[in-house]
Amino acid sequence: MNTMDRSALLGATHVAFSAGMPERLSRIGATNVARRLDCLLVGPSHRDIEKHVRARQLWWNSPEQWDPFLSDLRWEPPVILWVSTSLRERVDLWKTCSWLRRVGIAFQDVLILEFDAVPPSGVPDEPLPPFDCYSSVAHHPDEVLLERLGKARPWSYERYDRAVCLWDQYVDENPLSFVESCIRGLEGFPELAPLWSLLSCFFPRRTTEGALRLSRFDELLLTILSMEWQTPLSVCSQKLQRVATLWEFLDCTGDLFLPCRLEHWAKHASGAVVERAPGPNPEEPMKSFAYRLTERAIRLRDKGLDQLTDAPSLPIAGTEAYSASAPWVLLEDGRLARL
């Protein structure tokens, strides 16, 4: 690639999904970079961009604008998307493809740069965590980024269209088409099976005998929490194997999901399940409150649910877990069904 070609591509619109990548792209000469902040693996998502952004702000209780599509960014082709194998980034990639189509940018003008995972230790054969939310384009050196930029190409129409359709399925109120896509698999999207393996852990379960159980995540959380007061920081700082498992989730959702979910439990049913008290530092989310189990929480954890609404609802993509209006339960074969 000659200097003019590189200069033209660096002047394109760049979308960076990895933390630290906007600064890296600026360092190698990119001048128009979209900054992504959000994690779409938990919380509500919508097709309509303005509704989506409002819902995300409310979900995180934040005044920040969570999406560059509502910013003054110059959206002109070509658009270059930098994406790793991280589950967080792959879902954001689908959304971006969908919304670029909505604003009239043709798939031929969207150049997608995909980067393989780099193991945390740098050892090539070391296995990655069970849910790959660690990977980042920023793990690759500048010379690799520039070399790959010179080879940037659009996806085929068929693959691009699959990404758009996956976002439509992801934000649908009925999650069955999306779950079927994940279980069946889709060429060009190896992230689907591990993504559903993660998301399924947030839905309540129904055994073959018909009993209702907490989601795997909530059961784990209520197992780590005790009848002694604990801040979210103390919950996730214990040196226990089950805390290491908790971190496998938090590495994907972000650690602030922990105080968020504990708050859901504390506010549910007037605090009759999990109790909350002021913590040592009201300015830090991980220390602002302390929580402890009640006898009812232990019964729900050990004996199961009488009804879905015994647990606080949790928005996931376009639907909700533990919702009377969306009574989805995870079956033992890994599929969802309505009660």
Side-chain angles (χ1 to χ4, degrees), residues 45-58:
S45 289
H46 297 279
R47 284 188 183 87
D48 180 82
I49 182 171
E50 293 187 356
K51 185 176 181 181
H52 175 87
V53 171
R54 288 195 301 270
R56 300 302 296 181
Q57 289 174 320
L58 182 62

Side-chain angles (χ1 to χ4, degrees), residues 82 112 231 281:
W82 301 76
I112 302 176
T231 65
N281 190 338

Side-chain angles (χ1 to χ4, degrees), residues 12 22 82 93 109 157 219 235 250 333:
W82 301 76
L93 174 67
D109 292 322
Y157 174 81
E219 186 173 274
V235 167
L250 298 183
D333 65 1

